Amino acid sequence: MTTTMCIGILFATSLNSLNAQNTNNMDTTISENSIFPKGNRASEKYFSGDVFVYHFINKNDDENYNIASSSVTFEPGARTNWHSHPKGQLLLVTEGIGWYQEKDKPAQIIKKGDVINVPANVIHWHGASSHSKLVHISITNYDGDANSTWLNPVSDSEYNAVNQ
């Protein structure tokens, strides 16, 4: 299945999902450049800064897929903690400029149109640059009931070292 086809399926699914969700705590605003609503504020347990997650598809025992898919909005300076995924992760950058870094490797700039294939069990982080928000679609497979292993926050000194 092509990336374009995946995005089309996710877009159609998300529109149906938005109609069915309780939107009391969700920011359903779609900016001029955004494809999806911002969603709900992400947990400070796993993210630093202002991060919002709009879930498309959650693990579902009634279907033939075991993925978590979402659009994640990072405001400038926001980022994930260090983490890994037992079955890997795919990031499709839809807006802005940010960073992706694997443990003990140099950080790389990511921008609209980039596709990042995160290998299984690779410790990494990703987030917005200090001057731009970043929006990406994340597709993460489950291994049993787990799709992420969350670790320590990315320190300000680690972030500032790549964000110059």
Side-chain angles (χ1 to χ4, degrees), residues 21 27 36 64 89 99 153:
Q21 290 178 14
D27 183 343
F36 303 106
N64 288 328
Q89 183 180 51
W99 295 99

Side-chain angles (χ1 to χ4, degrees), residues 65-79:
Y65 51 79
N66 282 326
I67 62 172
S69 296
S70 56
S71 176
V72 184
T73 301
F74 297 86
E75 295 299 334
R79 56 200 179 263

Side-chain angles (χ1 to χ4, degrees), residues 57-126:
I57 303 169
N58 289 312
K59 185 176 180 187
N60 184 335
D61 293 332
D62 294 330
E63 304 293 338
N64 288 328
Y65 51 79
N66 282 326
I67 62 172
S69 296
S70 56
S71 176
V72 184
T73 301
F74 297 86
E75 295 299 334
R79 56 200 179 263
T80 67
N81 286 6
W82 288 101
H83 64 288
S84 65
H85 305 281
K87 294 282 194 169
Q89 183 180 51
L90 185 65
L91 303 174
L92 309 170
V93 182
T94 61
E95 187 178 344
I97 300 171
W99 295 99
Y100 168 78
Q101 183 177 22
E102 295 178 3
K103 195 74 167 171
D104 299 322
K105 291 189 178 179
Q108 64 185 63
I109 294 174
I110 58 176
K111 61 189 178 327
K112 182 179 179 177
D114 287 346
V115 176
I116 307 298
N117 185 17
V118 183
N121 298 310
V122 169
I123 297 172
H124 67 285
W125 69 270
H126 38 98

Side-chain angles (χ1 to χ4, degrees), residues 44-63:
E44 292 177 4
K45 185 175 178 181
Y46 307 120
F47 298 89
S48 298
D50 293 326
V51 180
F52 300 86
V53 179
Y54 175 69
H55 291 284
F56 303 130
I57 303 169
N58 289 312
K59 185 176 180 187
N60 184 335
D61 293 332
D62 294 330
E63 304 293 338

